[in-house]
Amino acid sequence: MRDPLLLTPGPLTTSLATKTAMLHDWGSWDHSFNLLTARVRSRLLAIVDGQDEYTCVPLQGSGTFAVEAAIGTLLPRDGKLLCLVNGAYGKRIAQLTEVMGRQVSVLDFGETAPVDPVMVASALERDAAITHVAVVYCETSTGILNPMQAISDVVAAAGKSLIIDAMSAFGALPLSAAQLRFDAVIASGNKCLEGVPGMGFAIVRTAAVAQCAGRAHSLSLDLHAQWRYMEQTGQWRYTPPTHVMAALDVALDQFDAEGGQAARLARYADNCATLIDGLAGLGLRVFLPAEIQAPIIVTVHAPNHPNWDFKRFYDLTKARGVVLYPGKLTVAETFRIGCIGALGPNEMTMALDAIAHALQQMQIDC
Ligand SMILES: *Cc1c(COP(=O)(O)O)cnc(C)c1O
């Protein structure tokens, strides 16, 4: 029997080949595992055309661990981060920076608008103490797409360092070191690369990370130390997520076979269009206007009906093999549907059928 489809933005549905890749054991010292680590690092680097000036530093843990390590390692102790916020993940970057005791200033755009580069430029002009800027590429809490090129241009013009949380964008949305100027891009294996959870990584400018010895607030979340150790020994500091890396290596084979980032974007865009059309047919309204909707995750207004109950809706759709995601907004009652994972048009149609049946069983007429 098949597992339920995860229409959630990570963990997500992985292919059988990716799951099967985990049916082995590797020693952390083993040469074949070290080769695998090196191969995955260089494949991740190539996805963003980072071979010349960047290095890929993988890190154990969920994506947030890698974000926290990147900020803690790159932002000097007397530096100041300008955090561009339009949702929960941007807020999380500000929060983790505060927790580590570094200076952070927040520019908040609410939950429904993309980051405005003009306002970023004036914030940088107003506060000369800012050294780094952090932004989320696709704000997964809604699915909003932020204008990365314009943000990168403004930050570069001000001579500041840009740190991009590209967790839910990496591998699907365009992202190239040839176009954007950044010091770090952070992502994880379990989103658009369609691997399993357990590791994140940062693509960091080699010249920048090389200057960061002793800067981190944490022993285990020190990207410089992880990088140095990996360069010197080919191994991870501390126990590596062996099975997760093996799964990612095979997931990257499928990424290449599909046609790389452009092909993945095309499939996700189809998934997203199928979903949005189908939802409209069911009388459900999507939360974002099309111009700022990334084809990664769709936020949907909950039906305005006395019978609405997300928990019941969730259970009913799950009984039909489809797992949905609760909303994460303060401004409106919503739920979310992921477009990413090893899923195509058939699975989107299956999700729409499950939603239609659930609404019928709940006697909700939209
Ligand atoms: C998934 C995600 C993260 C990391 O979340 P974890 O639960 O720690 O893996 C960070 N930023 C964005 C934009 C994300 O989508």
Side-chain angles (χ1 to χ4, degrees):
M1 219 169 72
R2 190 172 179 173
D3 290 333
L5 302 175
L6 299 182
L7 278 87
T8 59
L12 40 63
T13 294
T14 58
S15 72
L16 183 60
T18 298
K19 286 187 265 275
T20 308
M22 292 184 285
L23 296 177
H24 300 279
D25 301 311
W26 290 264
S28 58
W29 273 74
D30 192 80
H31 185 57
S32 61
F33 182 70
N34 295 345
L35 287 178
L36 193 155
T37 295
R39 181 166 65 242
V40 168
R41 287 178 71 198
S42 73
R43 296 177 90 174
L44 295 173
L45 207 51
I47 292 174
V48 293
D49 308 315
Q51 295 93 323
D52 294 340
E53 287 179 58
Y54 294 83
T55 183
C56 172
V57 191
L59 188 72
Q60 301 92 329
S62 86
T64 305
F65 292 53
V67 175
E68 193 156 6
I71 303 279
T73 305
L74 292 171
L75 184 66
R77 300 218 179 175
D78 61 354
K80 183 171 184 181
L81 184 71
L82 174 66
C83 200
L84 311 177
V85 175
N86 56 349
Y89 291 100
K91 271 195 193 125
R92 187 180 295 175
I93 298 176
Q95 189 189 2
L96 61 84
T97 309
E98 254 165 45
V99 166
M100 66 179 84
R102 313 262 167 105
Q103 276 198 83
V104 56
S105 162
V106 170
L107 197 55
D108 198 327
F109 297 88
E111 290 176 322
T112 59
V115 166
D116 177 356
V118 176
M119 288 178 71
V120 177
S122 57
L124 291 175
E125 218 168 59
R126 274 198 309 275
D127 187 352
I130 292 164
T131 54
H132 291 65
V133 178
V135 66
V136 177
Y137 191 157
C138 167
E139 182 40 88
T140 323
S141 47
T142 49
I144 288 185
L145 188 61
N146 280 320
M148 293 313 303
Q149 188 66 55
I151 294 166
S152 160
D153 291 349
V154 155
V155 173
K160 311 297 180 184
S161 161
L162 182 63
I163 298 174
I164 304 170
D165 172 350
M167 208 70 60
S168 61
F170 195 97
L173 300 179
L175 177 50
S176 167
Q179 261 116 43
L180 295 183
R181 195 182 156 77
F182 56 82
D183 272 357
V185 160
I186 306 133
S188 74
N190 66 282
K191 295 207 172 165
C192 303
L193 298 174
E194 301 184 359
V196 302
M199 65 82 75
F201 58 90
I203 308 285
V204 279
R205 189 182 292 281
T206 313
V209 72
Q211 292 173 3
C212 295
R215 211 178 259 185
H217 60 295
S218 156
L219 178 69
S220 54
L221 299 181
D222 184 339
L223 272 195
H224 176 271
Q226 179 88 329
W227 168 69
R228 281 293 301 275
Y229 192 81
M230 252 181 207
E231 293 291 313
Q232 283 165 1
T233 66
Q235 294 170 22
W236 297 57
R237 279 189 325 155
Y238 320 139
T239 302
T242 47
H243 298 69
V244 174
M245 286 296 283
L248 183 55
D249 194 33
V250 168
L252 288 168
D253 291 342
Q254 295 156 66
F255 176 80
D256 291 342
E258 184 173 13
Q261 174 262 318
R264 189 138 297 183
L265 176 60
R267 177 161 56 85
Y268 291 169
D270 276 353
N271 286 350
C272 186
T274 304
L275 266 181
I276 289 177
D277 283 355
L279 290 167
L282 294 174
L284 289 166
R285 283 183 308 127
V286 301
F287 180 74
L288 292 177
E291 318 82 76
I292 57 170
Q293 170 75 63
I296 302 294
I297 186 165
V298 177
T299 299
V300 186
H301 281 286
N304 185 11
H305 192 283
N307 289 356
W308 175 253
D309 171 10
F310 178 75
K311 181 73 180 65
R312 171 120 203 274
F313 180 65
Y314 177 96
D315 290 339
L316 288 168
T317 51
K318 186 172 173 199
R320 289 191 160 258
V322 173
V323 172
L324 302 178
Y325 214 50
K328 206 171 189 161
L329 292 181
T330 54
V331 292
E333 165 82 5
T334 56
F335 65 94
R336 288 178 294 168
I337 312 175
C339 312
I340 65 179
L343 305 169
N346 292 341
E347 286 78 16
M348 294 300 127
T349 304
M350 196 177 144
L352 289 162
D353 284 348
I355 291 170
H357 273 97
L359 292 175
Q360 207 171 40
Q361 278 174 281
M362 293 169 81
Q363 297 179 311
I364 295 176
D365 197 2
C366 302

